Amino acid sequence: MQTRNQPYISLTIAGSDSGGGAGIQADIKAMSATGSFACSVITALTAQNTQGVSAIHPVPQSFVEDQLESIFSDMKVDAVKIGMLSDADTILMIAQILKKYQPKAVILDPVMVATSGDVLLESQAISSLVNHLIPLADLITPNLYEAQVLLGRDLNAFPKSNAELESTANALLSLGSQGVLLKGGHMDTQDSTDVWVTENQIEYFSKTRVVTTNTHGTGCTLSSAITSYLAQGLSMSESIRKAKEYISQALVAAKNYQLGQGSGPVDHFFMLKA
Protein backbone atom coordinates (compact mmCIF):
# COMPACT_ATOMS: atom_id res chain seq x y z
CA MET A 1 0.00 0.00 0.00
CA GLN A 2 1.22 3.51 -0.80
CA THR A 3 2.14 5.97 1.95
CA ARG A 4 1.96 9.75 1.93
CA ASN A 5 1.61 12.64 4.35
CA GLN A 6 -1.98 13.45 3.43
CA PRO A 7 -4.90 11.03 3.96
CA TYR A 8 -6.47 9.19 1.07
CA ILE A 9 -9.90 10.65 0.37
CA SER A 10 -13.02 8.61 -0.36
CA LEU A 11 -16.27 10.31 -1.30
CA THR A 12 -19.68 8.76 -0.80
CA ILE A 13 -22.68 10.05 -2.75
CA ALA A 14 -25.74 8.48 -1.14
CA GLY A 15 -28.80 8.86 1.06
CA SER A 16 -28.82 9.35 4.81
CA ASP A 17 -30.05 6.58 7.13
CA SER A 18 -31.36 8.06 10.37
CA GLY A 19 -30.96 4.65 12.01
CA GLY A 20 -27.22 4.72 11.32
CA GLY A 21 -26.94 1.22 9.86
CA ALA A 22 -26.84 1.90 6.12
CA GLY A 23 -26.45 4.75 3.64
CA ILE A 24 -24.13 7.69 4.29
CA GLN A 25 -23.67 6.70 7.93
CA ALA A 26 -22.52 3.15 7.09
CA ASP A 27 -20.34 4.48 4.26
CA ILE A 28 -18.48 6.92 6.49
CA LYS A 29 -17.97 4.27 9.17
CA ALA A 30 -16.68 1.70 6.68
CA MET A 31 -14.36 4.13 4.91
CA SER A 32 -12.97 5.38 8.21
CA ALA A 33 -12.51 1.88 9.62
CA THR A 34 -10.62 0.73 6.53
CA GLY A 35 -8.18 3.61 6.46
CA SER A 36 -9.36 6.50 4.30
CA PHE A 37 -10.81 9.95 4.99
CA ALA A 38 -14.54 10.03 4.20
CA CYS A 39 -16.35 12.94 2.57
CA SER A 40 -20.07 12.83 1.80
CA VAL A 41 -22.70 14.19 -0.54
CA ILE A 42 -26.24 13.50 0.65
CA THR A 43 -28.81 12.79 -2.07
CA ALA A 44 -31.82 12.06 0.15
CA LEU A 45 -32.91 12.11 3.77
CA THR A 46 -34.70 9.03 5.06
CA ALA A 47 -36.67 8.35 8.20
CA GLN A 48 -35.73 4.76 8.92
CA ASN A 49 -34.71 2.32 11.60
CA THR A 50 -34.02 -1.41 11.86
CA GLN A 51 -37.60 -2.16 10.79
CA GLY A 52 -37.68 -0.20 7.57
CA VAL A 53 -38.08 3.15 5.84
CA SER A 54 -41.09 5.29 6.78
CA ALA A 55 -40.32 8.42 4.73
CA ILE A 56 -37.91 9.71 2.07
CA HIS A 57 -37.12 13.37 1.39
CA PRO A 58 -35.01 13.83 -1.78
CA VAL A 59 -32.39 16.58 -1.65
CA PRO A 60 -32.94 19.14 -4.45
CA GLN A 61 -30.70 18.51 -7.45
CA SER A 62 -29.13 21.97 -7.25
CA PHE A 63 -28.01 21.36 -3.67
CA VAL A 64 -26.58 17.93 -4.51
CA GLU A 65 -24.57 19.72 -7.19
CA ASP A 66 -23.47 22.38 -4.69
CA GLN A 67 -22.18 19.66 -2.36
CA LEU A 68 -20.27 17.94 -5.16
CA GLU A 69 -18.66 21.15 -6.40
CA SER A 70 -17.66 22.18 -2.87
CA ILE A 71 -15.75 18.93 -2.36
CA PHE A 72 -14.20 18.43 -5.79
CA SER A 73 -13.10 22.07 -6.08
CA ASP A 74 -11.21 21.89 -2.78
CA MET A 75 -10.03 18.32 -2.20
CA LYS A 76 -8.25 15.68 -4.25
CA VAL A 77 -10.79 12.86 -4.15
CA ASP A 78 -9.11 9.50 -4.74
CA ALA A 79 -12.20 7.31 -5.14
CA VAL A 80 -15.97 7.75 -5.28
CA LYS A 81 -18.75 5.46 -4.11
CA ILE A 82 -22.29 6.11 -5.36
CA GLY A 83 -25.28 4.68 -3.54
CA MET A 84 -28.91 5.79 -3.28
CA LEU A 85 -30.02 8.22 -5.99
CA SER A 86 -33.46 9.75 -6.44
CA ASP A 87 -34.22 10.85 -10.01
CA ALA A 88 -33.00 10.85 -13.60
CA ASP A 89 -31.91 14.50 -13.68
CA THR A 90 -29.78 14.15 -10.55
CA ILE A 91 -28.16 11.03 -12.00
CA LEU A 92 -27.30 12.89 -15.21
CA MET A 93 -25.86 15.81 -13.22
CA ILE A 94 -23.66 13.50 -11.13
CA ALA A 95 -22.37 11.87 -14.32
CA GLN A 96 -21.44 15.29 -15.69
CA ILE A 97 -19.58 16.22 -12.48
CA LEU A 98 -17.64 12.93 -12.57
CA LYS A 99 -16.63 13.58 -16.18
CA LYS A 100 -15.50 17.07 -15.18
CA TYR A 101 -13.30 16.03 -12.25
CA GLN A 102 -12.41 12.45 -13.28
CA PRO A 103 -11.66 10.72 -9.96
CA LYS A 104 -9.39 7.72 -10.41
CA ALA A 105 -12.01 5.20 -9.28
CA VAL A 106 -15.82 5.16 -9.32
CA ILE A 107 -17.80 2.42 -7.56
CA LEU A 108 -21.54 2.26 -8.17
CA ASP A 109 -23.75 0.39 -5.71
CA PRO A 110 -27.12 0.54 -7.49
CA VAL A 111 -29.53 0.87 -4.55
CA MET A 112 -32.76 0.07 -6.39
CA VAL A 113 -34.62 -2.68 -4.55
CA ALA A 114 -35.80 -2.67 -0.93
CA THR A 115 -35.52 -5.74 1.30
CA SER A 116 -39.26 -6.20 0.73
CA GLY A 117 -38.60 -6.54 -3.01
CA ASP A 118 -40.11 -3.14 -3.86
CA VAL A 119 -38.33 -1.28 -6.68
CA LEU A 120 -37.18 2.11 -5.33
CA LEU A 121 -36.27 3.86 -8.59
CA GLU A 122 -38.71 4.82 -11.35
CA SER A 123 -38.05 3.40 -14.82
CA GLN A 124 -36.77 6.76 -16.14
CA ALA A 125 -34.20 6.96 -13.34
CA ILE A 126 -33.10 3.37 -13.98
CA SER A 127 -32.60 4.20 -17.66
CA SER A 128 -30.54 7.25 -16.70
CA LEU A 129 -28.43 5.10 -14.38
CA VAL A 130 -27.77 2.59 -17.17
CA ASN A 131 -27.09 5.21 -19.83
CA HIS A 132 -25.07 7.78 -17.89
CA LEU A 133 -23.52 6.38 -14.70
CA ILE A 134 -22.81 2.71 -15.31
CA PRO A 135 -20.50 3.47 -18.28
CA LEU A 136 -18.42 5.69 -15.94
CA ALA A 137 -18.06 3.03 -13.24
CA ASP A 138 -14.93 1.00 -12.64
CA LEU A 139 -17.12 -1.42 -10.70
CA ILE A 140 -20.83 -1.91 -10.06
CA THR A 141 -21.88 -3.97 -7.03
CA PRO A 142 -25.50 -5.08 -7.43
CA ASN A 143 -27.16 -7.77 -5.37
CA LEU A 144 -29.26 -10.39 -7.15
CA TYR A 145 -32.49 -8.38 -7.03
CA GLU A 146 -30.79 -5.26 -8.38
CA ALA A 147 -29.18 -7.31 -11.14
CA GLN A 148 -32.60 -8.52 -12.25
CA VAL A 149 -33.95 -4.96 -12.36
CA LEU A 150 -30.98 -3.71 -14.38
CA LEU A 151 -31.40 -6.55 -16.86
CA GLY A 152 -35.20 -6.30 -17.00
CA ARG A 153 -35.64 -9.81 -15.66
CA ASP A 154 -38.10 -11.45 -13.27
CA LEU A 155 -37.25 -10.56 -9.65
CA ASN A 156 -38.28 -14.03 -8.53
CA ALA A 157 -35.98 -15.88 -10.95
CA PHE A 158 -32.51 -14.80 -9.89
CA PRO A 159 -29.44 -17.07 -10.14
CA LYS A 160 -29.40 -20.26 -8.06
CA SER A 161 -25.85 -21.49 -8.81
CA ASN A 162 -22.35 -20.13 -9.35
CA ALA A 163 -22.64 -20.82 -13.08
CA GLU A 164 -25.83 -18.74 -13.27
CA LEU A 165 -24.21 -16.09 -11.08
CA GLU A 166 -21.32 -15.78 -13.52
CA SER A 167 -23.63 -15.70 -16.53
CA THR A 168 -25.68 -12.89 -14.97
CA ALA A 169 -22.53 -10.92 -14.09
CA ASN A 170 -21.37 -11.13 -17.70
CA ALA A 171 -24.77 -9.90 -18.88
CA LEU A 172 -24.42 -6.92 -16.53
CA LEU A 173 -20.92 -6.24 -17.88
CA SER A 174 -22.45 -5.57 -21.28
CA LEU A 175 -24.12 -2.46 -19.79
CA GLY A 176 -20.77 -0.70 -19.99
CA SER A 177 -18.94 -0.68 -16.65
CA GLN A 178 -15.31 -1.79 -16.41
CA GLY A 179 -16.23 -4.52 -13.94
CA VAL A 180 -19.10 -6.16 -12.10
CA LEU A 181 -19.11 -7.60 -8.60
CA LEU A 182 -22.35 -9.57 -8.42
CA LYS A 183 -23.18 -10.39 -4.81
CA GLY A 184 -24.65 -13.83 -4.19
CA GLY A 185 -25.79 -13.21 -0.63
CA HIS A 186 -29.43 -14.00 -1.48
CA MET A 187 -28.58 -17.44 -2.83
CA ASP A 188 -29.51 -20.38 -0.62
CA THR A 189 -25.99 -21.70 -0.11
CA GLN A 190 -23.71 -22.45 2.83
CA ASP A 191 -21.16 -19.87 1.71
CA SER A 192 -21.72 -16.27 0.68
CA THR A 193 -20.15 -16.12 -2.77
CA ASP A 194 -19.64 -13.05 -4.97
CA VAL A 195 -18.23 -13.07 -8.49
CA TRP A 196 -16.12 -10.32 -10.06
CA VAL A 197 -15.97 -10.18 -13.84
CA THR A 198 -14.22 -7.86 -16.28
CA GLU A 199 -13.62 -8.22 -19.98
CA ASN A 200 -10.56 -10.37 -19.21
CA GLN A 201 -11.00 -11.69 -15.67
CA ILE A 202 -13.29 -13.81 -13.54
CA GLU A 203 -12.70 -14.21 -9.82
CA TYR A 204 -14.83 -15.66 -7.03
CA PHE A 205 -14.82 -14.38 -3.46
CA SER A 206 -16.33 -16.68 -0.83
CA LYS A 207 -16.79 -16.51 2.93
CA THR A 208 -18.73 -18.78 5.27
CA ARG A 209 -22.24 -17.42 5.60
CA VAL A 210 -22.87 -15.70 8.97
CA VAL A 211 -26.22 -16.73 10.43
CA THR A 212 -27.66 -13.48 11.77
CA THR A 213 -30.56 -11.07 11.30
CA ASN A 214 -28.17 -8.12 11.63
CA THR A 215 -27.51 -7.54 7.94
CA HIS A 216 -28.76 -3.97 7.49
CA GLY A 217 -26.31 -1.95 5.42
CA THR A 218 -24.09 -4.82 4.29
CA GLY A 219 -24.15 -3.72 0.65
CA CYS A 220 -23.33 -0.11 1.54
CA THR A 221 -20.54 -1.27 3.82
CA LEU A 222 -18.95 -3.62 1.28
CA SER A 223 -18.94 -1.11 -1.58
CA SER A 224 -17.58 1.62 0.70
CA ALA A 225 -14.76 -0.61 1.94
CA ILE A 226 -13.84 -1.44 -1.67
CA THR A 227 -13.82 2.29 -2.46
CA SER A 228 -11.63 3.01 0.56
CA TYR A 229 -9.05 0.39 -0.39
CA LEU A 230 -8.99 1.58 -4.01
CA ALA A 231 -8.42 5.14 -2.78
CA GLN A 232 -5.33 3.85 -0.97
CA GLY A 233 -3.87 2.41 -4.16
CA LEU A 234 -4.76 -1.28 -3.90
CA SER A 235 -5.74 -3.22 -7.01
CA MET A 236 -9.39 -3.98 -7.65
CA SER A 237 -8.94 -7.68 -6.85
CA GLU A 238 -7.15 -6.96 -3.57
CA SER A 239 -9.65 -4.24 -2.65
CA ILE A 240 -12.56 -6.64 -3.12
CA ARG A 241 -10.79 -9.39 -1.18
CA LYS A 242 -10.00 -7.13 1.76
CA ALA A 243 -13.50 -5.60 1.74
CA LYS A 244 -15.09 -9.06 1.71
CA GLU A 245 -12.97 -10.03 4.71
CA TYR A 246 -13.89 -6.78 6.47
CA ILE A 247 -17.66 -7.20 6.02
CA SER A 248 -17.45 -10.84 7.10
CA GLN A 249 -15.74 -9.88 10.37
CA ALA A 250 -18.18 -7.01 10.89
CA LEU A 251 -21.09 -9.45 10.51
CA VAL A 252 -19.57 -11.93 12.96
CA ALA A 253 -18.91 -9.21 15.55
CA ALA A 254 -22.54 -8.02 15.43
CA LYS A 255 -24.36 -11.31 14.90
CA ASN A 256 -25.87 -11.36 18.40
CA TYR A 257 -26.55 -7.64 18.70
CA GLN A 258 -30.03 -6.54 19.73
CA LEU A 259 -30.11 -2.99 18.41
CA GLY A 260 -33.70 -2.19 17.56
CA GLN A 261 -36.53 -4.60 16.81
CA GLY A 262 -35.68 -5.48 13.21
CA SER A 263 -32.62 -6.11 11.07
CA GLY A 264 -29.73 -4.54 12.94
CA PRO A 265 -26.43 -3.16 11.59
CA VAL A 266 -23.01 -4.74 11.37
CA ASP A 267 -20.16 -3.72 13.70
CA HIS A 268 -18.08 -1.39 11.54
CA PHE A 269 -15.44 -0.84 14.24
CA PHE A 270 -15.04 -4.41 15.48
CA MET A 271 -11.25 -4.02 15.35
CA LEU A 272 -11.33 -1.47 18.20
CA LYS A 273 -12.55 -4.18 20.57
CA ALA A 274 -9.74 -6.61 19.77
Side-chain angles (χ1 to χ4, degrees), residues 109-110 113 141-148 181-183 186:
D109 183 21
V113 184
T141 62
N143 62 30
L144 297 181
Y145 289 105
E146 290 155 353
Q148 297 300 91
L181 180 69
L182 181 55
K183 300 175 293 190
H186 289 100

Side-chain angles (χ1 to χ4, degrees), residues 108-214:
L108 175 60
D109 183 21
V111 180
M112 297 164 26
V113 184
T115 303
S116 62
D118 295 329
V119 177
L120 301 176
L121 278 183
E122 296 180 354
S123 57
Q124 187 176 1
I126 294 172
S127 295
S128 185
L129 193 78
V130 171
N131 293 328
H132 301 297
L133 269 186
I134 287 181
L136 299 180
D138 294 278
L139 185 74
I140 63 173
T141 62
N143 62 30
L144 297 181
Y145 289 105
E146 290 155 353
Q148 297 300 91
V149 172
L150 286 171
L151 295 171
R153 296 178 178 177
D154 184 353
L155 283 179
N156 297 312
F158 55 67
K160 299 294 194 297
S161 67
N162 285 352
E164 292 180 2
L165 195 70
E166 186 176 317
S167 174
T168 300
N170 278 308
L172 288 165
L173 191 63
S174 69
L175 298 178
S177 65
Q178 294 299 306
V180 175
L181 180 69
L182 181 55
K183 300 175 293 190
H186 289 100
M187 290 170 57
D188 186 18
T189 55
Q190 183 176 354
D191 293 333
S192 175
T193 299
D194 307 334
V195 62
W196 171 51
V197 300
T198 70
E199 188 175 335
N200 303 310
Q201 294 172 272
I202 297 172
E203 190 170 349
Y204 283 89
F205 299 86
S206 248
K207 299 295 292 185
T208 301
R209 186 178 298 277
V210 180
V211 180
T212 177
T213 59
N214 294 326

